[in-house]
Amino acid sequence: MGSAIAALIANSSCQVVLLDIASNNPNDRNSVVKKAIENIPKQRPPSLSHPSKLAFIKIGNLKDDLQLITECDLIIEVIIEQIDIKYKLYNKIIPYLQNDAILASNTSTLPLKQLKENIPDSIKSRFVITHFFNPPRYMELLELITDQAVVPMVVDKITNFLTINLGKTIVKSNDTPGFIANRIGCYLLELVVRTAIKANLNPVIIDKIFTDLLKFPNTGIFGLYDLIGHDVMKLISTSLVNSLPMNDQYKKIYILTPILDKMIAKNLIGRKGVGGFYRISAINKVKTKEVINFQDFSYTAIEDPKVEYNSINELLDSGSIYGQFFKSILVEFYLYLTSLIPEVTDNIYDIDKAMRLGYSWKQGPFELLYNIKDGFEWLKKEATIKNLPLPKYVANNNYKTIDSSKFQVSRINLRESEVLLKNNSAQVLLYQDRLVFSISTKMNCLNEEVFTLLLEAVDLAEQREQDLYIVPLTDNFSAGADLKLVAHYIKTNDFTKLDRLLELGQQAMMRLKYSHINIISCAVGFALGGGCEILLHSDFIVAHQELNAGLVEVSRGLVPAFGGIKEMFYRAQGNKDRLIKNIINILTANKTSSADYFILDYGISSAQINMNKQMIFLEASQLTFPKKVVKVDKKITLPQISLSEELDISQYNELQILLLAQLQDIIALQEIDEQEILERERKIFLELAQNPKKDLAF
Ligand SMILES: CCC[C@H](O)CC(=O)SCCNC(=O)CCNC(=O)[C@H](O)C(C)(C)COP(=O)([O-])OP(=O)([O-])OC[C@H]1O[C@@H](n2cnc3c(N)ncnc32)[C@H](O)[C@@H]1OP(=O)([O-])[O-]
């Protein structure tokens, strides 16, 4: 994990030093750390936002290069979970710490109290635990553990760095084994897996119920166990069980399960082994997901099972084997969970946040039970029937004080805004004197109403002489044109309405580009197709590093027609290489995987990257922009190139070849204005719609 954390820091363009053990090879003492560096670009999912970020990582070994520590403000120890080995390392590095440098351990199971036992007092005030979640680039949660000895200035400094520079959401946990997310998450994993194996139940059905009814991520429970690795689960749970108090329920559910031990012995440890509860095989050259048979460890192909219950209540009341199983594990789980208050934290909303951001649950456990009809009363009743003691939180009815509005606090809280304009698909808000345009359709998809209000928003911004911010209120900027609407127009042969949509979209884009106020787009999540076209027509983009943006239309059997093709020509500025690159973006439906890639691949010159998606609008609103100089020369010079000679067309499909010919026709004109290209875009789009090369099923 050390190299993945180094990569995350490099992504934020901070200098980072990666130290590893010195190798025995006298000719290359850095061979171990070099290997780690070589592996970074191979990590999946990728740890680096762009290969160029590797330049931010300096390497060394723990014998010859300790001096490098004197350059660092924060030192994160990420080594094996063995206290003696950690102590040895601390003794080595402490003499090199700057006076105000912070020392942090990334332990996931060892308490801070134990880590600090042999540390000099002068270091105790700046020694904390920073628990990253895997993979650190993608998981937003960071558990921060401090104690009385740590001075507030240190807590502020590290909080700022982790939040602003690395984009993490911090949940503070008490100094208890496993902290919050792993204590709860691993407990549930072990409880479900071990109980289900003992009862010989089917992992596929259990996972399906977890994902469909309890809204867990697609991996479910068994899939997650495979993803983490059975060997790693064993390490985590053993370490937890060893450090938890004698009567902790974790010890009781961590029962001997010979089938699991046999699976480890056979290297059936999940995705990195030869199989796990599931495996992917090529059956008749078709990728097939299979599930293990616990009796003989053979595998059978999975047929997607139907969940016959419409709600959790229906499942629990059903009396079926799976109904009884879920009743029993949910009671055990919730009694354990509520027994951890206030031990791990007294803040139930933090528990929910930790499970959402660290384990990707859609709802945290408290929100889940709250949303089950009479959930807490049901828990009380079931525990009483089974003669199980009630934790204080439940016995004292503390759940009655739950404030459901605190479960999912909106990422960008514009609640105090004044609504200036609004229709069913978008709104214009005044937030602390900033004019904000936000879309309210599913995935912020674009339709006529969105464009109509966007045009009105620009008019209003110009009247008020105010810049306009385009801000998503959910996790995605925009998934582009509403494809269901487009498909409907095509299916009903309503090409007049389709053309009207294209025209309106183009008009809105040009209005953004040529308005005399600045248009600032706050880009997070997906900005695809038309969403990307809005970015291309904005004056400035504040982008989350994890932005997924691009002109992806060709992958849907369409072409960009809200000005995307036009911008790819315009932005080449007569440069042949840039034009080829831009045309490749369109032909290959290039969806970039980070803001770094987007800026480079799409030739964006006015952008700023931010690591924290919750702070994008805050950052945008703090920037000052010069008065916009509206460009008047709309003529585009086209370098004379033959696309069939410049590109390897043997790899292209029918649509790509057809599009290539249309783009070549544009190039042949040598000079063109923006309006002419827009008209051609629409023509190509409509011809394709009438004679599709691919089914636009969505
Ligand atoms: C006129 C054209 C001109 C323009 O130049 C061309 C374009 O913009 S072309 C457009 C170019 N854009 C694209 O090709 C992007 C198409 N979208 C995608 O590729 C994936 O949805 C995305 C990767 C964004 C998210 O994947 P994920 O996280 O697995 O989430 P998910 O997939 O489960 O979606 C969640 C819900 O949102 C719905 N929905 C999503 N997008 C659209 C849409 N455009 N439309 C309508 N609906 C859409 C989706 O159906 C689902 O609904 P439900 O009822 O809840 O089942």
Side-chain angles (χ1 to χ4, degrees):
M1 201 181 191
S3 62
I5 294 177
L8 167 73
I9 297 170
N11 292 345
S12 76
S13 301
C14 279
Q15 298 288 344
V16 55
V17 176
L18 181 64
L19 299 180
D20 211 321
I21 50 173
S23 99
N24 295 330
N25 176 355
N27 298 324
D28 190 2
R29 306 255 277 173
N30 281 342
S31 65
V32 176
V33 71
K34 279 185 189 161
K35 187 132 211 135
I37 287 285
E38 277 165 25
N39 279 334
I40 290 180
K42 297 178 202 155
Q43 284 163 355
R44 289 292 168 272
S47 294
L48 281 179
S49 54
H50 191 268
S52 61
K53 295 287 174 160
L54 261 187
F56 285 93
I57 308 180
K58 203 190 258 185
I59 56 165
N61 68 70
L62 286 162
K63 269 207 175 110
D64 311 316
D65 301 310
L66 289 167
Q67 197 62 34
L68 290 174
I69 291 175
T70 59
E71 299 171 11
C72 301
D73 299 310
L74 168 66
I75 294 87
I76 306 176
E77 163 272 302
V78 191
I79 60 166
I80 188 164
E81 299 282 67
Q82 282 182 21
I83 195 73
D84 304 351
I85 302 183
K86 288 196 192 273
Y87 284 152
K88 268 194 200 150
L89 180 66
Y90 299 154
N91 285 338
K92 250 190 199 181
I93 61 180
I94 282 173
Y96 294 90
L97 292 183
Q98 275 178 38
N99 284 343
D100 56 355
I102 300 173
L103 180 57
S105 171
N106 184 48
T107 180
S108 60
T109 50
L110 298 171
L112 185 61
K113 197 168 164 215
Q114 195 181 3
L115 293 176
K116 281 191 172 182
E117 259 163 25
N118 292 333
I119 296 288
D121 282 348
S122 61
I123 306 293
K124 282 184 177 149
S125 59
R126 46 198 169 107
F127 187 2
V128 298
I129 289 176
T130 49
H131 182 215
F132 287 83
F133 281 72
N134 233 336
R137 174 178 167 192
Y138 299 93
M139 299 311 287
E140 205 180 312
L141 176 65
L142 187 129
E143 288 175 333
L144 180 67
I145 294 93
T146 63
D147 60 15
Q148 292 291 327
V150 179
V151 293
M153 208 176 69
V154 166
V155 178
D156 289 350
K157 206 167 144 188
I158 191 150
T159 301
N160 280 346
F161 178 73
L162 296 167
T163 312
I164 298 170
N165 293 66
L166 302 191
K168 296 295 156 207
T169 294
I170 293 180
V171 167
K172 288 188 180 157
S173 162
N174 293 336
D175 186 21
T176 52
F179 315 122
I180 298 176
N182 277 352
R183 176 93 170 264
I184 294 166
C186 292
Y187 176 87
L188 183 66
L189 284 170
E190 297 290 12
L191 171 70
V192 171
V193 164
R194 285 164 196 271
T195 317
I197 291 178
K198 199 164 162 228
N200 197 21
L201 297 180
N202 185 346
V204 181
I205 297 179
I206 293 174
D207 278 351
K208 185 82 181 156
I209 293 175
F210 266 107
T211 51
D212 282 13
L213 292 186
L214 283 82
K215 304 288 174 223
F216 270 49
N218 287 341
T219 46
I221 295 286
F222 288 87
L224 180 58
Y225 209 98
D226 275 354
L227 182 68
I228 296 171
H230 298 209
D231 51 342
V232 175
M233 273 308 295
K234 191 170 180 170
L235 282 176
I236 300 175
S237 285
T238 310
S239 172
L240 269 172
V241 164
N242 288 340
S243 27
L244 288 167
M246 269 315 287
N247 59 350
D248 194 279
Q249 190 64 15
Y250 203 120
K251 294 187 186 220
K252 297 190 185 129
I253 59 107
Y254 194 58
I255 49 173
L256 192 68
T257 311
I259 287 178
L260 274 184
D261 297 327
K262 280 188 197 151
M263 284 182 74
I264 292 184
K266 289 174 181 291
N267 196 24
L268 297 170
I269 54 169
R271 293 201 191 174
K272 36 176 202 197
V274 292
F277 298 121
Y278 301 113
R279 73 173 185 196
I280 304 287
S281 296
I283 299 179
N284 298 331
K285 293 190 182 161
V286 180
K287 259 192 182 179
T288 310
K289 191 171 175 189
E290 298 177 304
V291 61
I292 199 161
N293 178 337
F294 291 125
Q295 263 67 51
D296 57 4
F297 302 115
S298 62
Y299 285 84
T300 31
I302 296 173
E303 281 160 31
D304 199 20
K306 289 262 162 312
V307 171
E308 47 198 88
Y309 315 100
N310 295 313
S311 67
I312 303 174
N313 289 83
E314 210 178 300
L315 165 75
L316 298 176
D317 292 342
S318 70
S320 67
I321 297 177
Y322 287 94
Q324 285 173 22
F325 171 78
F326 271 88
K327 200 185 245 184
S328 140
I329 55 140
L330 286 181
V331 170
E332 282 220 44
F333 171 69
Y334 275 108
L335 290 181
Y336 187 61
L337 174 78
T338 46
S339 77
L340 298 179
I341 302 167
E343 182 200 337
V344 299
T345 173
D346 55 7
N347 185 335
I348 63 151
Y349 309 102
D350 270 357
I351 293 183
D352 270 26
K353 202 193 281 177
M355 299 318 291
R356 282 201 316 272
L357 302 181
Y359 273 69
S360 304
W361 294 10
K362 270 220 174 83
Q363 304 174 354
F366 283 93
E367 186 179 10
L368 186 68
L369 191 60
Y370 183 88
N371 286 337
I372 296 178
K373 195 165 167 287
D374 299 327
F376 285 94
E377 307 300 336
W378 168 84
L379 175 65
K380 239 177 176 174
K381 194 181 93 201
E382 290 298 322
T384 314
I385 293 171
K386 290 186 173 163
N387 235 344
L388 296 169
L390 291 180
K392 276 191 189 141
Y393 181 85
V394 183
N396 295 345
N397 296 336
N398 290 3
Y399 56 87
K400 291 201 169 154
T401 60
I402 287 178
D403 173 359
S404 62
S405 70
K406 290 190 182 165
F407 282 135
Q408 307 260 0
V409 178
S410 155
R411 295 205 171 281
I412 298 164
N413 193 353
L414 300 182
R415 251 184 270 167
E416 311 100 81
S417 312
E418 184 189 342
V419 180
L420 301 183
L421 300 169
K422 189 173 166 51
N423 64 20
N424 284 330
S425 302
Q427 53 194 335
V428 180
L429 307 169
L430 189 64
Y431 178 75
Q432 296 179 351
D433 214 26
R434 306 276 166 189
L435 216 47
V436 172
F437 178 79
S438 79
I439 306 172
S440 50
T441 56
K442 188 180 274 184
M443 285 296 227
N444 291 356
C445 286
L446 309 173
N447 59 24
E448 289 90 347
E449 282 189 331
V450 173
F451 291 130
T452 307
L453 205 77
L454 185 54
L455 284 164
E456 285 180 39
V458 180
D459 288 347
L460 183 68
E462 284 190 336
Q463 280 161 27
R464 298 170 65 110
E465 290 294 336
Q466 268 189 300
D467 292 340
L468 181 67
Y469 296 78
I470 304 184
V471 185
L473 299 186
T474 49
D475 279 344
N476 295 296
F477 186 74
S478 168
D482 182 339
L483 288 174
K484 286 176 185 148
L485 185 70
V486 172
H488 170 74
Y489 289 153
I490 295 176
K491 209 169 140 205
T492 53
N493 286 327
D494 202 341
F495 297 108
T496 313
K497 279 211 182 122
L498 184 56
D499 194 27
R500 172 72 193 129
L501 171 69
L502 299 181
E503 222 182 333
L504 200 58
Q506 291 186 343
Q507 198 189 336
M509 299 295 171
M510 291 299 272
R511 188 80 179 93
L512 294 180
K513 185 165 176 176
Y514 290 103
S515 63
H516 72 252
I517 42 98
N518 287 300
I519 307 291
I520 301 115
S521 279
C522 296
V524 296
F526 291 111
L528 303 178
C532 176
E533 286 165 307
I534 295 183
L535 297 184
L536 294 173
H537 289 84
S538 301
D539 298 295
F540 198 84
I541 304 169
V542 181
H544 182 223
Q545 178 63 289
E546 297 309 322
L547 176 71
N548 277 254
L551 297 172
V552 298
E553 288 85 346
V554 167
S555 66
R556 298 262 159 212
L558 301 171
V559 295
F562 292 145
I565 295 183
K566 185 255 313 170
E567 272 306 298
M568 287 297 95
F569 277 101
Y570 184 91
R571 284 164 179 264
Q573 300 284 338
N575 179 302
K576 174 186 153 190
D577 293 339
R578 189 70 239 181
L579 182 61
I580 293 171
K581 204 169 164 42
N582 287 355
I583 286 177
I584 291 175
N585 281 336
I586 301 172
L587 287 172
T588 60
N590 180 10
K591 178 167 90 170
T592 56
S593 59
S594 67
D596 284 335
Y597 270 112
F598 180 59
I599 286 171
L600 291 169
D601 289 2
Y602 281 85
I604 309 291
S605 53
S606 309
Q608 183 158 309
I609 297 179
N610 187 309
M611 293 288 283
N612 191 319
K613 68 174 160 192
Q614 300 182 46
M615 298 173 108
I616 303 286
F617 177 55
L618 181 71
E619 175 161 333
S621 60
Q622 283 168 354
L623 294 171
T624 45
F625 298 96
K627 192 160 172 40
K628 181 163 162 183
V629 181
V630 183
K631 307 155 204 101
V632 278
D633 182 11
K634 296 177 197 169
K635 281 278 180 216
I636 302 168
T637 313
L638 303 160
Q640 291 308 289
I641 48 172
S642 158
L643 293 175
S644 56
E645 280 170 24
E646 299 287 347
L647 305 171
D648 175 11
I649 59 168
S650 64
Q651 54 181 325
Y652 292 153
N653 61 26
E654 194 191 348
L655 168 60
Q656 289 168 314
I657 301 277
L658 192 131
L659 182 55
L660 206 72
Q662 313 264 22
L663 300 179
Q664 188 67 59
D665 286 350
I666 297 178
I667 291 171
L669 298 173
Q670 299 188 12
E671 203 182 61
I672 193 167
D673 68 28
E674 288 186 272
Q675 209 52 49
E676 263 178 279
I677 307 194
L678 289 175
E679 274 153 32
R680 279 178 181 254
E681 271 185 13
R682 285 204 334 263
K683 194 162 159 276
I684 304 171
F685 192 98
L686 287 171
E687 275 171 14
L688 256 181
Q690 288 168 39
N691 186 12
K693 300 284 170 257
K694 199 176 167 180
D695 181 21
L696 182 62
F698 197 75

